[in-house]
Amino acid sequence: MQTEKIQTVDTNYTIKINMKKGLLTLFLSLLSFITYSQDRDLLDSNFSPERFPVFPRCENLENKELESCFYNEVQDFVFQNFVVPENLVQNNFEGNVKVLFEVDAAGVFKVIYVNAIDEELIKEAKRVFTKFPKITASTYNGKSVYSKYNITISIPLKSAETRASEALARAEIIQSSTKQLTELDSIVYKKYNNPEYDSHLNIPFSHSYYAQFDGALNHVGSNNHTASKPYTYAEVSKYYDIKGVNEKLKKNVSGWWAKKLWNENTVEIQGDGYWLSLNPILDLQVGKASNSDVSYTYVNTRAINFRGGLGDKLNFSTTVFESQGRFADYFNRYAESIRPAGGNPAIIPGIGIAKDFKTDSYDFPLAEANLTFSASKHIDLQLGYGRNFIGDGYRSLMESDGASPYPYFKINTNFWKIKYTNTYMWLKDVRPEVTLERTYATKFMANHYLSWNISNRLNLGFFESVIWTNTNDRGFDASFVNPIIFYRSVEFASSARTGNALLGLTFKYKWSDKVNVYGQFLLDEFSLGDIKSGDNSWKNKYGYQLGVKYYNAFQVDNLLLQLEYNHVRPYMYSHSVPITNYGHNNQSIGHQWGGNFKEFIAIARYHKGRYFADAKITVGTRGLDFDTTEDSFNYGGNIYKDYDLKRPFDSGVKVGQGNKTSLFIADIQGGYLVNPTTNLKIFGSYIYRSFDPTKYTATTFSESTNWFTLGLRADVFNWYFDY
């Protein structure tokens, strides 16, 4: 179904609008009528996919001539049939009656709204519009559609001919006197055609949503780069027609509220060189978890998202979230275990600092924003507050979206067979040890990632990152501003090795259009001599990932199967000075589990039309600390501990050392896509979690959790409950 068209007929001058009746009652008192219009450039061209409704006298006319004829016929009919109430005639009443009406797909006139100061005028306007004859409906690409119009009826009544003569006379007078400004009235509005799908705006990163076009982006021979996320619409649109897919998903509904619920942005405006959209965002969940002290779990998120584009180069998006909630006990305990200094009870993973809400819940506000400037065909610049992700897997060892949002500046450079991504980040350490005068410590991170399509099938990526803090008022060190510098050398030269540098390698091999193999290797510290000795030195801090994706698996369209293995050695991501670890807001920037673990993940994702289903199984082994008076050693899992303190041994270091814990998580979700434009979904989910440590402590003990949830949410970021 085509986006509805709202056009205006005014007896003085005709303008076109694109306004939905549900907003009229809200805005008329402030702005009279806010109008959206059809692009005049289309009407002036030799061919337009849109055609005005046709009165019998207007047959065989096209474009501007048909438009003018339609306007004149409407005005003449009103002039001939409208009867001004006698009491107003006697009082020499002068004023306007504004009528919003539609011509439906059958060519029938219907009044939507009338605005006038006298009730009799409202009744008369409604009566006149019931008298309009049935005409040929407007069309779009040859298909009959309904359209909306606005007419201003001036009292005393005047014919179209009279008004045209008066308008000509006024024009001559104006030309001979001071010209009146009509800048607001001359603003041109266009039919909203979803320009965001061709823009450089970021696509909100959701594993479930990205899986829908992941296969299209990974065909053999495609010269694109899939590891650096989030993608922009411009990147994806070359391989996957999001606009076309959403058009096919549109429901054949009429009425403003129905269209907004099922198909469209709540508010959408498009003009000459700009577009804007506004949407409420909801994440409403209610559930039940076993072994819980509360009767139910819930999330109550209300948000507003505003995005747009100014010209072809500048795009923006901002979202403000207000949330309250409580979760399954294991998730609440983890959130409280990473609480910040200052008395706040928790940090919600991936969201941010939470405060108390009532007696057993959390209040966790969130804001995200992104401003993208496409400097050229090859370069775009992003200033944002949010999360980033590097990798082709479910997890990332290099840069994950599991931590709280943070301010960042990103440069994407794309040319030849290369995409080069530079990201500069401002992070926080919120531990009491570094909090001064109720102010959290600031640290900085810079990384660059070079993705190279070596052949039609093979892609290699090279990653380097460095983290430093504001020691000696160092601030954001200009040494790392140069996007092509080698960070490790600069850090050595400028900071006496107080920073923390990491090196990484990624690969992806397209076995076929259906099968991709991918992986990562991340090196935190490397000692060649210790590796040769074969004694598993603690200095050999590295992690790796291996994974495979199978698209349209077993000849089933839109079925994605994925297997992934992650292996991270003890003391990975940590540092001798904990503030320079690979963390932010007491969360890991890399893998959410920190160090000292191995993990196997199996994922299945399927969608058909508006229906979707996801299933994920996680099997892992973690080496946790005992943190008891008998054993307070640092076994390498907690990245916020100094790896030089209380290290139990220097050799023989293996994954799972310490309190070896087995973890099993099954996560099943299914639902229905309500609105493809906002990615609003109705869903149900079930999580089973088994947590079994070797030794029980006050904070680490065997536990099994069953967690059922029903909800309605806009899927615009990833919730991670697999801790």
Side-chain angles (χ1 to χ4, degrees):
M1 176 173 189
Q2 303 298 329
T3 303
E4 68 183 23
K5 173 176 61 181
I6 305 173
Q7 300 168 316
T8 299
V9 179
D10 195 318
T11 53
N12 296 315
Y13 185 74
T14 60
I15 61 174
K16 298 181 256 176
I17 66 172
N18 188 5
M19 182 63 148
K20 290 23 179 208
K21 63 183 179 184
L23 296 176
L24 282 171
T25 55
L26 178 62
F27 297 147
L28 277 174
S29 61
L30 299 174
L31 303 175
S32 182
F33 279 87
I34 299 175
T35 62
Y36 301 81
S37 77
Q38 177 65 31
D39 186 5
R40 291 187 173 277
D41 294 338
L42 288 175
L43 298 171
D44 292 337
S45 65
N46 294 326
F47 172 76
S48 173
E50 301 178 79
R51 193 168 187 264
F52 274 76
V54 182
F55 283 90
R57 292 180 56 185
C58 304
E59 293 180 354
N60 301 320
L61 299 178
E62 298 291 340
N63 298 335
K64 292 282 296 181
E65 292 180 350
L66 177 58
E67 176 186 0
S68 299
C69 185
F70 173 79
Y71 293 159
N72 290 334
E73 288 295 297
V74 172
Q75 187 213 308
D76 284 340
F77 188 90
V78 173
F79 175 72
Q80 295 167 10
N81 292 273
F82 196 96
V83 179
V84 181
E86 185 62 29
N87 64 315
L88 298 181
V89 174
Q90 293 178 359
N91 292 325
N92 296 318
F93 173 81
E94 293 184 5
N96 294 325
V97 180
K98 295 185 177 181
V99 183
L100 180 68
F101 66 97
E102 73 173 43
V103 180
D104 66 17
V108 177
F109 286 73
K110 297 179 180 179
V111 173
I112 299 173
Y113 186 85
V114 181
N115 184 37
I117 64 173
D118 188 271
E119 187 65 30
E120 292 298 321
L121 290 174
I122 296 175
K123 291 180 180 179
E124 177 61 16
K126 291 181 178 180
R127 184 195 68 81
V128 170
F129 273 82
T130 63
K131 301 295 185 180
F132 264 92
K134 183 177 179 181
I135 64 174
T136 303
S138 61
T139 60
Y140 187 88
N141 287 332
K143 181 181 178 181
S144 296
V145 296
Y146 84 96
S147 51
K148 295 181 182 179
Y149 305 89
N150 185 324
I151 182 172
T152 299
I153 304 172
S154 298
I155 311 290
L157 297 170
K158 296 178 182 178
S159 67
E161 184 179 354
T162 300
R163 288 189 173 276
S165 299
E166 291 179 350
L168 181 60
R170 285 195 300 271
E172 293 175 352
I173 295 173
I174 292 175
Q175 289 177 0
S176 62
S177 60
T178 303
K179 185 177 181 180
Q180 183 179 356
L181 296 178
T182 58
E183 293 176 343
L184 290 176
D185 294 334
S186 62
I187 293 177
V188 176
Y189 296 91
K190 299 182 178 182
K191 177 183 176 182
Y192 196 84
N193 63 353
N194 298 110
E196 61 265 42
Y197 297 142
D198 300 311
S199 72
H200 292 271
L201 193 70
N202 278 346
I203 304 175
F205 179 39
S206 160
H207 287 296
S208 180
Y209 184 51
Y210 273 41
Q212 296 184 20
F213 46 78
D214 197 34
L217 269 61
N218 282 286
H219 283 182
V220 175
S222 62
N223 187 28
N224 67 331
H225 304 268
T226 58
S228 184
K229 299 178 177 73
Y231 305 140
T232 67
Y233 286 103
E235 289 178 299
V236 174
S237 64
K238 293 187 292 183
Y239 307 95
Y240 183 82
D241 185 9
I242 297 179
K243 182 187 294 187
V245 171
N246 286 357
E247 283 292 325
K248 292 179 180 180
L249 293 176
K250 282 188 174 182
K251 289 184 176 292
N252 187 16
V253 295
S254 61
W256 187 87
W257 287 108
K259 292 176 181 292
K260 298 305 170 185
L261 174 63
W262 298 108
N263 298 330
E264 301 175 353
N265 296 295
T266 304
V267 178
E268 48 190 30
I269 301 173
Q270 186 173 350
D272 188 12
Y274 64 89
W275 64 271
L276 305 167
S277 69
L278 183 71
N279 287 295
I281 301 295
L282 298 175
D283 190 347
L284 308 175
Q285 306 179 32
V286 62
K288 176 67 177 178
S290 62
N291 304 319
S292 178
D293 295 332
V294 296
S295 57
Y296 62 94
T297 65
Y298 75 94
V299 173
N300 178 21
T301 296
R302 298 84 60 211
I304 193 77
N305 172 258
F306 179 55
R307 56 183 178 171
L310 302 177
D312 296 330
K313 297 183 178 297
L314 185 63
N315 295 104
F316 63 87
S317 177
T318 182
T319 310
V320 179
F321 300 83
E322 179 61 35
S323 304
Q324 297 81 39
R326 61 172 175 255
F327 309 88
D329 281 0
Y330 79 88
F331 193 84
N332 294 336
R333 288 196 303 271
Y334 176 67
E336 293 175 4
S337 73
I338 59 173
R339 69 172 61 90
N344 289 302
I347 291 177
I348 307 301
I351 304 297
I353 296 174
K355 59 184 180 180
D356 286 315
F357 180 73
K358 297 183 177 180
T359 59
D360 54 9
S361 303
Y362 309 109
D363 189 321
F364 41 99
L366 173 67
E368 296 184 331
N370 181 271
L371 183 67
T372 300
F373 177 71
S374 181
S376 71
K377 177 181 178 182
H378 302 291
I379 299 175
D380 70 65
L381 311 175
Q382 296 187 17
L383 182 64
Y385 190 92
R387 316 168 188 85
N388 294 280
F389 189 98
I390 293 178
D392 288 289
Y394 173 72
R395 304 287 199 187
S396 175
L397 307 185
M398 298 178 176
E399 186 176 359
S400 171
D401 64 332
S404 306
Y406 44 82
Y408 66 89
F409 177 68
K410 181 189 287 188
I411 305 172
N412 286 313
T413 306
N414 203 325
F415 66 97
W416 187 51
K417 302 178 181 181
I418 286 176
K419 182 177 181 179
Y420 187 49
T421 300
N422 298 85
T423 311
Y424 308 93
M425 291 161 277
W426 288 255
L427 308 177
K428 292 292 183 181
D429 191 321
V430 299
R431 295 172 299 130
E433 300 93 312
V434 294
T435 299
L436 182 63
E437 296 181 352
R438 299 182 179 182
T439 301
Y440 300 130
T442 297
K443 61 185 192 179
F444 309 95
M445 179 175 175
N447 64 43
H448 44 199
Y449 175 69
L450 188 148
S451 175
W452 178 22
N453 288 324
I454 294 180
S455 70
N456 287 333
R457 299 179 183 271
L458 179 62
N459 172 276
L460 291 181
F462 305 91
F463 175 82
E464 186 184 23
S465 178
V466 62
I467 295 178
W468 71 97
T469 188
N470 195 30
T471 305
N472 287 336
D473 294 323
R474 184 181 181 185
F476 193 93
D477 198 328
S479 302
F480 304 108
V481 173
N482 191 316
I484 58 174
I485 203 77
F486 188 60
Y487 290 157
R488 196 172 185 91
S489 298
V490 173
E491 174 60 24
F492 183 86
S494 63
S495 64
R497 297 189 293 178
T498 60
N500 185 14
L502 293 88
L503 298 174
L505 175 71
T506 71
F507 82 92
K508 179 178 65 178
Y509 185 77
K510 303 174 185 178
W511 187 272
S512 67
D513 286 345
K514 288 189 173 184
V515 179
N516 283 353
V517 181
Y518 63 91
Q520 296 184 352
F521 179 79
L522 186 63
L523 184 64
D524 193 355
E525 195 164 336
F526 184 79
S527 175
L528 183 60
D530 288 315
I531 287 183
K532 289 182 177 180
S533 67
D535 61 355
N536 286 315
S537 170
W538 76 275
K539 294 182 180 180
N540 296 327
K541 298 188 294 175
Y542 62 84
Y544 63 88
Q545 176 188 89
L546 293 172
V548 60
K549 293 180 180 179
Y550 183 16
Y551 305 105
N552 297 323
F554 305 111
Q555 307 300 317
V556 179
D557 290 343
N558 304 317
L559 174 61
L560 168 62
L561 301 181
Q562 181 177 0
L563 299 176
E564 183 173 299
Y565 178 75
N566 297 294
H567 186 105
V568 176
R569 294 241 327 145
Y571 309 106
M572 186 72 177
Y573 303 127
S574 60
H575 199 253
S576 58
V577 183
I579 193 174
T580 53
N581 70 354
Y582 210 64
H584 165 62
N585 270 8
N586 287 346
Q587 304 152 84
S588 172
I589 294 291
H591 195 290
Q592 290 97 303
W593 289 3
N596 194 11
F597 72 87
K598 54 185 177 182
E599 173 192 44
F600 177 81
I601 305 172
I603 301 173
R605 303 187 189 276
Y606 176 75
H607 72 276
K608 184 175 182 180
R610 293 187 180 232
Y611 294 93
F612 71 93
D614 296 333
K616 175 165 55 66
I617 294 176
T618 302
V619 181
T621 299
R622 302 182 65 180
L624 305 177
D625 295 337
F626 294 96
D627 288 328
T628 63
T629 55
E630 298 81 15
D631 191 339
S632 60
F633 288 113
N634 173 14
Y635 289 97
N638 187 344
I639 70 172
Y640 278 88
K641 289 185 176 182
D642 182 346
Y643 58 51
D644 282 333
L645 297 178
K646 296 186 176 181
R647 194 175 59 246
F649 27 75
D650 293 338
S651 60
V653 174
K654 296 181 179 179
V655 169
Q657 67 179 19
N659 195 358
K660 188 175 182 179
T661 301
S662 298
L663 190 64
F664 177 87
I665 304 174
D667 187 345
I668 302 172
Q669 185 176 134
Y672 183 79
L673 179 63
V674 178
N675 190 326
T677 300
T678 59
N679 211 20
L680 181 67
K681 299 176 177 178
I682 295 175
F683 73 94
S685 72
Y686 167 70
I687 294 176
Y688 172 76
R689 176 182 181 267
S690 174
F691 187 84
D692 188 19
T694 301
K695 182 178 180 179
Y696 297 178
T697 69
T699 58
T700 306
F701 48 87
S702 183
E703 181 182 35
S704 295
T705 302
N706 293 280
W707 188 8
F708 297 89
T709 302
L710 296 174
L712 173 69
R713 74 178 298 250
D715 193 10
V716 293
F717 65 88
N718 292 308
W719 272 112
Y720 293 99
F721 296 112
D722 41 7
Y723 290 93

